[in-house]
Amino acid sequence: KSLPVECHLANDDNGKMTSSLDKVNDAMTLMPQEPFHKEQNLNNGMQTIDKDAFYVNQREIEAHQVNLQNLCRICGGSFKNDPCKRSHPVHGPVDDEMQALLRKKERKATSWPDLLNKVFKIDVREDMDTIHPTNFCHNCWSVIQRKFSNVPCEVYFPRKGTMEWHPHSTSCDVCGTSSHGIKRKKQDPSPQGGKRLRIIAERARKVMYARSQKQVNSKSIMKKITNCKKIHLSTKMLTVDYPVDFVKSISCQICEHILADPVETTCKHLFCRLCILKCLKIIGSYCPSCRYPCFPTDLVNPVRSFLSILNTLAVRCPVKDCHEEVTLGKYSHHLSSHKEKKE
């Protein structure tokens, strides 16, 4: 009778052991699942944050591009300052007005990148829409027109150099003012300030006039400064008796000789290169004919058609016992042959 009871107790102990082992296994299976779900939720949260940041950055870049469309590629000025809202495409073809001007100056340029490279020394061919504006203002267009037309006008470049553009960042100069809404307040000019400015300008004008009167304006003194009788040809050496106005147009306005290596100023006056450089160095940086501001960097070569007419003029050789007539373009070669004979 004791054996069945012992068997029954043994079976109960085995049942308890198996049930406890099952509970441990269930606990072991449940334990690693909780951190797995937590990691999955964290990954999903990070992905949503990355997506939101990507969309925010995308919106900022788009807003940056919109702001760039209102700015000039060259000077960085806003098109809103121009009442007519005039702008010109950086990569577009040259407009008809500029094309006609270039044709007059015997220059060839079909696209704006070529002209911008010549005038402002910038290469816009590798520009990116996300970094660089795609248009330039009418003020910069006027600077280009003045460069090729040499017409004196009150057009100035608003910066010492061209604008440097950088990619969009947190401290972006382009988007900084628009995002914070900072605007400069317009101040009405006071009448007292305007009166003071007029008085100062009038005094400066009187001082400049007094200085200009003291400066030498006599042609005889200028001829002594240049001292080019032995170098340049006199107009009396022309073989044809041309009209007086034509002779004036082919002669230097300082030494009154036939133009030698002619240059043209911004005020459209012609001089020998040597004569004008000497006068600018001694007298001052202004045109000897009209006193318009002139610097050595402003001097340019005349148009080729004028130079071809000048080089075809026939002149008499000034050397003794030489009665030969040569064109002005071949005169230097003819003179060098005389020097070779003497040697």
Side-chain angles (χ1 to χ4, degrees), residues 4 67 76 102 134-135 150 152 179 200 283 337:
N67 292 329
L102 292 170
T134 55
N135 296 316
N150 296 330
S179 61
I200 292 166
I283 296 173
S337 63

Side-chain angles (χ1 to χ4, degrees), residues 32-220:
Q33 285 180 359
E34 290 180 2
F36 174 74
H37 287 300
K38 286 180 182 178
E39 286 178 4
Q40 193 172 5
N41 292 331
L42 284 171
N43 290 331
N44 292 332
M46 289 294 289
Q47 286 178 0
T48 54
I49 290 166
D50 291 339
K51 284 180 181 178
D52 292 339
F54 173 75
Y55 288 130
V56 168
N57 290 333
Q58 195 69 21
R59 284 194 218 103
E60 286 183 359
I61 291 168
E62 288 174 1
H64 179 75
Q65 281 185 267
V66 171
N67 292 329
L68 286 175
Q69 297 304 317
N70 297 321
L71 300 177
C72 174
R73 166 66 177 87
I74 300 163
C75 67
S78 176
F79 298 141
K80 296 176 183 178
N81 297 330
D82 186 5
C84 300
K85 305 286 177 68
R86 293 168 294 184
S87 63
H88 306 272
V90 170
H91 300 285
V94 178
D95 56 3
D96 296 336
E97 188 176 349
M98 190 66 71
Q99 196 73 34
L101 177 62
L102 292 170
R103 205 175 294 115
K104 279 184 182 178
K105 303 297 287 184
E106 297 180 350
R107 303 286 181 92
K108 288 184 179 179
T110 55
S111 61
W112 283 117
D114 298 334
L115 288 178
L116 296 176
N117 195 11
K118 286 179 182 177
V119 178
F120 299 105
K121 309 298 180 189
I122 54 171
D123 189 9
V124 297
R125 290 183 179 87
E126 298 180 357
D127 282 5
M128 299 175 66
D129 294 343
T130 54
I131 301 173
H132 304 90
T134 55
N135 296 316
F136 63 96
C137 64
H138 193 70
N139 190 47
C140 294
W141 181 91
S142 303
V143 172
I144 300 169
Q145 187 189 32
R146 182 190 173 190
K147 177 73 175 177
F148 289 101
S149 63
N150 296 330
V151 176
C153 59
E154 296 181 358
V155 176
Y156 65 96
F157 191 63
R159 290 176 173 268
K160 291 181 179 179
T162 54
M163 188 76 177
E164 292 184 3
W165 301 95
H166 304 284
H168 176 68
S169 61
T170 53
S171 60
C172 182
D173 295 332
V174 176
C175 304
T177 55
S178 60
S179 61
H180 297 297
I182 299 170
K183 293 183 180 180
R184 295 179 66 181
K185 294 180 180 179
K186 293 183 179 179
Q187 296 179 353
D188 297 329
S190 62
Q192 292 181 353
K195 190 177 179 180
R196 283 180 63 189
L197 288 173
R198 280 197 298 272
I199 293 167
I200 292 166
E202 192 66 29
R203 285 178 183 173
R205 201 175 292 114
K206 286 179 180 178
V207 170
M208 289 296 291
Y209 180 75
R211 286 179 182 176
S212 65
Q213 291 299 316
K214 290 178 183 178
Q215 288 175 347
V216 181
N217 194 22
S218 175
K219 282 192 176 181
S220 59

Side-chain angles (χ1 to χ4, degrees), residues 201-343:
E202 192 66 29
R203 285 178 183 173
R205 201 175 292 114
K206 286 179 180 178
V207 170
M208 289 296 291
Y209 180 75
R211 286 179 182 176
S212 65
Q213 291 299 316
K214 290 178 183 178
Q215 288 175 347
V216 181
N217 194 22
S218 175
K219 282 192 176 181
S220 59
I221 301 297
M222 287 186 183
K223 286 179 183 178
K224 286 180 182 178
I225 290 169
T226 55
N227 192 19
C228 59
K229 282 184 181 179
K230 296 179 181 179
I231 306 170
H232 299 159
L233 277 172
S234 173
T235 52
K236 294 176 182 178
M237 293 295 160
L238 292 168
T239 57
V240 181
D241 188 12
Y242 292 106
V244 178
D245 293 334
F246 179 77
V247 174
K248 283 183 179 178
S249 67
I250 61 163
S251 59
C252 175
Q253 297 191 26
I254 296 172
C255 65
E256 296 181 347
H257 295 149
I258 299 172
L259 287 165
D261 191 11
V263 290
E264 186 180 347
T265 60
T266 51
C267 47
K268 308 288 280 183
H269 291 120
L270 292 169
F271 303 95
C272 302
R273 189 184 292 274
L274 186 65
C275 298
I276 186 66
L277 288 175
K278 282 184 178 179
C279 285
L280 291 177
K281 188 176 181 180
I282 295 169
I283 296 173
S285 299
Y286 61 88
C287 176
S289 296
C290 65
R291 293 190 169 277
Y292 186 78
C294 179
F295 300 92
T297 52
D298 297 333
L299 302 175
V300 294
N301 294 324
V303 292
R304 283 174 288 180
S305 55
F306 176 80
L307 293 174
S308 63
I309 292 168
L310 187 66
N311 291 326
T312 53
L313 295 175
V315 293
R316 287 190 298 271
C317 181
V319 179
K320 288 182 180 180
D321 301 329
C322 181
H323 305 287
E324 193 172 345
E325 295 180 0
V326 293
T327 57
L328 199 62
K330 296 178 181 178
Y331 171 72
S332 58
H333 179 70
H334 177 76
L335 197 64
S336 62
S337 63
H338 282 297
K339 290 180 180 178
E340 288 174 3
K341 285 177 184 179
K342 282 184 180 180
E343 288 174 358

